[in-house]
Amino acid sequence: MATPKKMEKSYRMSSLSDCFGNLPNESVPINTDKLTRKVVCIEYPGIIKNVSRAMETLGGLEEINKRYVDSNQRLELRWRPADPYCKSSYGDSSNTNNLLFRFKRRKRKKLDGSYDYEHKVEILGIVKVTFRFQGMVDFQYLPMISHSTGENEAKTFSSIFDKLVVKSPEDVKDWLKVDVPLFLPPIIFSRMDTPMEYLYRSEMQHRSGFVNPQDQRPSHLIGTARQRRSRHTIFVNFEDKTIPSESMSGAEATLRAKVKNPNLEQKLRELFDQKPIWSRNGICGAIECRRDTLKYVLPLVAYYFITGPWRSLWVKFGYDPRKDPAAKKYQIVDFRVRQRGGNAGFDIKAKRSTFSYKLPTVITKQTGQVATINRSGLLPGKDQRETTTRTKEEAESTYKFRAHILPPFRQMFYQICDIVDDDVQSLLNQNNGQETVCDEKDGWCMKDMNDKCREIMYHKLNTYSPVGENTGKKVPKSKETCETDIHFPCQFGRQ
């Protein structure tokens, strides 16, 4: 695009009467020499009397430049830059097509005593980016304490900022020995940063028997006001004295109506007859059913352990593993693939993405979705042939541990009986016949059983590390790895 030439255009500036009073009914020339200049606009949420102090609250030109380069970063405004307890306000950038004008009016006195006005308009640049502070800025928690001299007199406040903040490194020792008032600012001021229209409505009418959770909660705690949905699941802690022998009353009539497969409950009972304690992933792999269907059938067959060595497992009604030493093989082991060293090459997905957590200084802009065509089913490619030949061991990797198959996720929960390793099983049987007390941490096993199992599993998994394949370097295999190939399991659902 060609550079615009220097020119002057005449516009009727009727809108300037608000700023400069009554303007003459004539055209005003506009200087467009700086029309190609680009500027950034910051709509400061306050009246600026000192420009340098206003720039200091924004972090200076260097900080503004960083936020301008990265459009996903929000511009932070600290009303008191030297106060670490100051709650910041954040401005969001938006693309604009505005013009920045400079208006001047000169007054000249004539010989007859009247005044003559000369108006000048100049364009300083085009505003392409504007930072707007649309959030509420009046949420502040000052480091002050109140003083009351009498009942009828007003309270006075004094600042304790000097007692809370160290001014110089030399004063640290003396500062640690001095008692200071308790000052705990709130972690969050409001759930919403921008004001919104609130639609008032009448109190919700509940059916008979409704119990408000707020009535059973201490006054200083904030929680949901909705009553917890009943899944007819019986939860048991390790400290509970008794265990349930049957499902809740009314659970069978309610849950069986939601199950479309009548044979699923019978298959589930047969599984618990074979093994009294199961994980949800183990059940899905054994009878090949969907996870959302099990939530209606499992409460009819088993109860759920919340704490202890059998936490997050389903136990058959009437069976108490705390009284049976043989139940130690069903205990849970929390195994996590370590991130340091050569394990960075493990092709294992995390259960939860770190992108779900958003900082207040970052804004997530929505992007349009790009349509893609899945051509895996059009031609019998290599991926499809590998899927059809997937082994049973790979399908069981969601709940069974085998050293030559990588876990689907970096954190897995295995039952000891599902860890296919001779060293772990021999470690389990070391205290056979010597079980006296069932501990909440180690259960019926020997002390620090989980830590020892994790070390063995990590060592075995590290032996079959696929780092050489990912980095292009050839890793020599040991005698154990020469006989067995490394398989990469498919990504199943969440653990």
Side-chain angles (χ1 to χ4, degrees):
M1 189 174 85
T3 305
K5 299 180 180 179
K6 294 182 179 180
M7 55 183 178
E8 290 187 358
K9 294 184 179 180
S10 298
Y11 299 93
R12 185 165 300 278
M13 309 298 293
S14 59
S15 61
L16 300 179
S17 59
D18 297 336
C19 299
F20 301 104
N22 296 326
L23 294 176
N25 190 14
E26 61 182 12
S27 61
V28 179
I30 298 180
N31 187 3
T32 59
D33 294 342
K34 301 179 181 179
L35 188 60
T36 58
R37 183 184 178 188
K38 297 181 180 180
V39 295
V40 178
C41 176
I42 299 177
E43 297 182 0
Y44 196 89
I47 301 176
I48 298 179
K49 296 183 179 180
N50 190 325
V51 179
S52 60
R53 294 188 63 181
M55 293 294 294
E56 185 181 355
T57 59
L58 296 172
L61 289 175
E62 183 179 357
E63 193 67 24
I64 296 175
N65 185 40
K66 292 180 181 179
R67 300 298 182 262
Y68 171 74
V69 173
D70 190 357
S71 60
N72 292 329
Q73 295 290 331
R74 308 177 73 188
L75 183 60
E76 183 179 5
L77 189 152
R78 297 185 60 85
W79 300 99
R80 304 180 302 279
D83 186 1
Y85 299 102
C86 175
K87 181 182 181 297
S88 302
S89 302
Y90 299 96
D92 301 328
S93 62
S94 59
N95 298 327
T96 55
N97 288 317
N98 301 329
L99 296 176
L100 179 61
F101 288 91
R102 175 188 290 170
F103 302 95
K104 291 183 179 180
R105 186 179 70 164
R106 295 180 180 179
K107 184 173 67 171
R108 295 178 182 179
K109 189 175 183 181
K110 296 181 181 181
L111 297 177
D112 56 356
S114 61
Y115 291 94
D116 186 15
Y117 296 94
E118 178 185 0
H119 300 87
K120 184 178 179 181
V121 181
E122 180 184 6
I123 297 178
L124 298 181
I126 302 176
V127 181
K128 289 292 185 181
V129 178
T130 302
F131 287 93
R132 294 186 174 94
F133 293 84
Q134 299 178 346
M136 293 178 285
V137 299
D138 55 349
F139 283 114
Q140 298 294 329
Y141 199 82
L142 302 179
M144 305 180 72
I145 57 176
S146 61
H147 303 280
S148 179
T149 56
E151 296 181 356
N152 299 327
E153 297 182 4
K155 293 183 179 180
T156 58
F157 295 87
S158 60
S159 175
I160 57 173
F161 178 78
D162 296 335
K163 299 179 180 179
L164 299 175
V165 180
V166 182
K167 296 297 182 62
S168 61
E170 293 80 7
D171 301 335
V172 174
K173 293 183 179 180
D174 297 335
W175 177 79
L176 293 175
K177 299 178 181 179
V178 178
D179 294 335
V180 296
L182 181 62
F183 179 72
L184 298 176
I187 300 176
I188 186 171
F189 287 80
S190 175
R191 292 177 57 190
M192 303 171 191
D193 192 26
T194 56
M196 59 178 296
E197 183 180 0
Y198 186 83
L199 302 177
Y200 292 93
R201 60 184 180 181
S202 58
E203 188 71 19
M204 184 179 297
Q205 300 296 328
H206 300 282
R207 59 186 178 183
S208 59
F210 171 77
V211 179
N212 193 346
Q214 294 183 354
D215 299 338
Q216 302 176 352
R217 189 183 301 117
S219 58
H220 63 281
L221 295 181
I222 300 175
T224 58
R226 187 185 69 183
Q227 188 177 13
R228 184 176 181 179
R229 295 179 180 177
S230 177
R231 295 291 185 187
H232 299 282
T233 302
I234 301 177
F235 299 95
V236 176
N237 292 305
F238 185 82
E239 299 84 5
D240 295 344
K241 302 298 182 181
T242 60
I243 54 101
S245 58
E246 58 182 0
S247 59
M248 291 184 178
S249 60
E252 296 184 1
T254 304
L255 298 179
R256 284 176 180 170
K258 299 180 181 181
V259 180
K260 298 180 180 180
N261 186 3
N263 299 326
L264 183 58
E265 182 181 350
Q266 182 61 28
K267 293 181 180 179
L268 203 59
R269 293 186 183 276
E270 293 176 358
L271 279 182
F272 279 93
D273 291 338
Q274 300 172 8
K275 189 172 72 171
I277 303 177
W278 283 86
S279 64
R280 186 186 291 265
N281 280 347
I283 297 174
C284 292
I287 60 178
E288 297 182 357
C289 63
R290 297 174 56 182
R291 294 174 61 92
D292 54 353
T293 308
L294 286 177
K295 65 182 180 182
Y296 300 119
V297 188
L298 276 173
L300 301 175
V301 183
Y303 63 92
Y304 189 80
F305 247 113
I306 299 177
T307 59
W310 297 279
R311 64 187 181 278
S312 70
L313 297 178
W314 292 85
V315 185
K316 181 182 178 181
F317 282 129
Y319 179 74
D320 192 353
R322 299 169 299 182
K323 298 179 180 180
D324 184 12
K328 65 179 181 180
K329 60 182 178 181
Y330 305 127
Q331 294 179 191
I332 202 76
V333 174
D334 183 1
F335 177 69
R336 307 182 186 188
V337 180
R338 301 173 184 175
Q339 296 280 0
R340 65 177 183 267
N343 297 324
F346 281 169
D347 187 16
I348 306 176
K349 291 184 178 180
K351 291 184 179 179
R352 299 169 181 85
S353 175
T354 56
F355 294 100
S356 301
Y357 306 96
K358 186 179 72 172
L359 298 175
T361 57
V362 180
I363 181 173
T364 304
K365 297 184 178 180
Q366 296 182 355
T367 57
Q369 295 183 356
V370 181
T372 58
I373 299 177
N374 185 8
R375 295 180 289 182
S376 59
L378 300 179
L379 296 175
K382 179 181 178 181
D383 296 338
Q384 187 175 0
R385 292 195 300 267
E386 291 180 355
T387 304
T388 56
T389 59
R390 189 172 295 134
T391 62
K392 180 181 178 181
E393 292 182 352
E394 294 172 351
E396 295 176 345
S397 62
T398 54
Y399 65 97
K400 283 190 176 183
F401 175 83
R402 291 181 174 89
H404 60 280
I405 298 179
L406 293 180
F409 300 101
R410 290 192 177 272
Q411 181 183 8
M412 297 293 297
F413 294 93
Y414 298 107
Q415 290 183 263
I416 300 180
C417 61
D418 292 331
I419 301 176
V420 185
D421 187 86
D422 296 336
D423 294 337
V424 173
Q425 298 302 323
S426 62
L427 188 65
L428 173 67
N429 299 324
Q430 279 189 5
N431 65 335
N432 286 347
Q434 303 176 5
E435 305 93 341
T436 56
V437 179
C438 182
D439 184 60
E440 183 177 0
K441 178 183 177 182
D442 300 316
W444 294 106
C445 297
M446 57 188 300
K447 187 178 180 180
D448 300 331
M449 174 67 180
N450 289 349
D451 296 337
K452 296 177 182 179
C453 287
R454 281 191 284 263
E455 288 296 331
I456 295 174
M457 296 164 65
Y458 170 72
H459 176 72
K460 295 293 182 66
L461 191 63
N462 195 34
T463 305
Y464 295 93
S465 172
V467 177
E469 300 179 8
N470 294 340
T471 59
K473 299 179 181 180
K474 187 175 181 180
V475 179
K477 294 183 178 181
S478 61
K479 294 182 180 180
E480 298 178 357
T481 59
C482 292
E483 299 177 357
T484 309
D485 296 329
I486 299 176
H487 300 282
F488 293 87
C490 61
Q491 296 297 337
F492 292 87
R494 293 177 61 183
Q495 173 75 0

